[in-house]
């Protein structure tokens, strides 16, 4: 069961990363919402070339984690590129308040952007430590496994709390993304999802029903794609953001399944 979830999460992460790389190649640019290189400067010299390098890491890394002999190399490639995407957000700690004001929601939004990338990087770190070239896929490398899972626990737990705070402190804004046909109205579901994020993060950090919390977190990411993001493809099929957001969100779902499987393995080891 644990290995099945790990494999499913790995396949989802692999295919979504490959898709994100292909989209970067097609548009010859970084996807603005999740790869915000323009936070560094309005004009980036050689952006198409840099986007091609990022795309290569996403595509090759995604493909490599599916093969036992190359899984560690692919995992480290994905960990690097998603960490780079997280670093792109850092200048916004300075620039965002200048335009939007010095408010908690502004700073939390920047942290939210960093966290979205770090959860995928953390899952890639788990894959790196669980795979060894001389062993079948997903054979546990126990000396390094606990440390990787502990790092991932903090990343996923704190990130989930931050996602929840972003929803709860920006209800009106997030509600604009909700379909008009949702019963009870968009703000209701924004609050519900915000509370769910916070509770999941607390459960993961406190190690109380953490496996269930992680699996429900992955389900929430899948629901976001199904109800919010996939419809955007039909509404704006020529927009890089529409396709890239779906690719990233599925990468987050796959990463969360990987994390859930890893902490489930740890729980069984101690049970």
């Amino acid at each position: 069961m644990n290995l099945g979830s790990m494999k499913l999460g790995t396949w989802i992460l692999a295919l979504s990363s490959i898709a994100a790389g292909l989209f970067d190649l097609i548009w010859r640019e970084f996807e603005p919402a999740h790869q915000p290189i323009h936070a560094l400067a309005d004009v980036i010299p050689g952006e198409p070339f840099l986007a091609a390098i990022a795309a290569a890491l996403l595509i090759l890394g995604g493909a490599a984690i599916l093969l036992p002999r190359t899984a560690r190399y692919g995992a480290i490639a994905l960990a690097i590129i998603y960490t780079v995407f997280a670093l792109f957000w850092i200048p916004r700690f300075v620039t965002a308040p200048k335009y939007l004001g010095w408010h908690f929601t502004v700073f939390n939004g920047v942290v939210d952007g960093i966290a979205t990338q770090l959860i995928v990087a953390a899952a890639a770190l788990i894959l790196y430590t669980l795979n060894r070239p001389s062993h079948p896929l997903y054979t546990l490398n126990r000396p390094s496994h606990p440390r990787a899972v502990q790092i991932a626990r903090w990343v996923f737990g704190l990130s989930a709390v931050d996602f929840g705070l972003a929803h709860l402190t920006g209800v009106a804004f997030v509600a604009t993304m909700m379909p008009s046909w949702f019963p009870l109205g968009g703000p209701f579901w924004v609050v519900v999802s915000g509370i769910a994020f916070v509770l999941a993060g607390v459960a993961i950090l406190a190690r109380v029903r953490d496996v269930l919390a992680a699996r429900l977190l992955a389900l929430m990411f899948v629901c976001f794609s199904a109800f919010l993001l996939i419809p955007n493809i039909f509404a704006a099929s020529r927009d890089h953001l529409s396709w890239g957001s779906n690719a990233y969100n599925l990468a987050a779902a796959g990463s969360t399944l990987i994390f859930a499987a890893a902490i489930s393995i740890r729980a069984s080891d101690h049970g």
Side-chain angles (χ1 to χ4, degrees), residues 23 67 78-79 83 110 115 118 131 204 220:
F23 298 150
L67 303 173
L78 292 183
T83 299
V110 178
L118 289 184
N131 287 274
I204 289 169
M220 236 184 355

Side-chain angles (χ1 to χ4, degrees), residues 146-187:
R147 180 176 296 179
V149 174
Q150 185 63 20
I151 292 172
R153 182 183 296 279
W154 281 99
V155 171
F156 276 90
L158 293 176
S159 295
V161 171
D162 181 72
F163 298 156
L165 292 177
H167 280 219
L168 295 173
T169 59
V171 174
F173 171 73
V174 180
T176 62
M177 305 176 190
M178 305 292 291
S180 59
W181 53 266
F182 262 36
L184 303 177

Side-chain angles (χ1 to χ4, degrees), residues 106-121:
V106 174
F107 289 101
N108 191 65
V110 178
V111 174
D112 185 80
I114 294 172
T116 57
Q117 305 306 315
L118 289 184
I119 62 173
V120 185

Side-chain angles (χ1 to χ4, degrees), residues 231-242:
N232 289 341
I233 292 178
F234 298 97
S237 60
R238 297 187 179 183
D239 189 350
H240 187 183
L241 178 60
S242 299

